[in-house]
Amino acid sequence: MNYPNVEVLLCCSGYSKPYRDALDSKNGGELGISVDDGPDYWHDVYQIKQRSFSKPAAAIEAMRLMKDKGRDGVPSEVQKIIQKCIALVRGDE
């Protein structure tokens, strides 16, 4: 993956709403000078919020948003991960 974790991948792929919603004004102040919506920004959000929010709930909400967009809404990196898993199960790899 080109991102430090799946949460940053989801945020940079347009599924940041559950993570953005988890920020409050106090937490937002901890972000310093990171550029909003870039990988560094979302990594900082992840580091701050992992102490106080449900990662599974945020991921599920991101998946719901992805489902609403349909097949074209699945980030290419997620597609590649799924394809790799299928190939491993089939013994193609």
Side-chain angles (χ1 to χ4, degrees):
M1 258 189 352
N2 293 324
Y3 299 92
N5 56 52
V6 72
E7 287 84 6
V8 174
L9 165 63
L10 291 171
C11 290
C12 290
S13 298
Y15 300 102
S16 61
K17 184 175 180 351
Y19 303 92
R20 190 181 306 278
D21 290 351
L23 286 176
D24 57 27
S25 59
K26 178 184 171 199
N27 295 135
E30 294 181 50
L31 292 173
I33 60 171
S34 295
V35 177
D36 190 15
D37 289 335
D40 291 338
Y41 172 81
W42 289 114
H43 181 71
D44 291 348
V45 169
Y46 171 75
Q47 292 300 318
I48 292 166
K49 294 314 297 176
Q50 73 176 339
R51 301 183 298 248
S52 63
F53 85 119
S54 170
K55 286 174 46 175
I60 289 169
E61 180 59 25
M63 295 301 158
R64 285 185 183 131
L65 294 170
M66 194 180 301
K67 182 182 175 194
D68 291 345
K69 290 185 177 182
R71 176 178 244 164
D72 292 338
V74 180
S76 62
E77 288 204 33
V78 172
Q79 290 179 21
K80 289 176 188 173
I81 291 167
I82 293 169
Q83 290 167 352
K84 177 73 171 181
C85 291
I86 291 169
L88 288 170
V89 168
R90 289 183 176 160
D92 297 342
E93 295 284 322

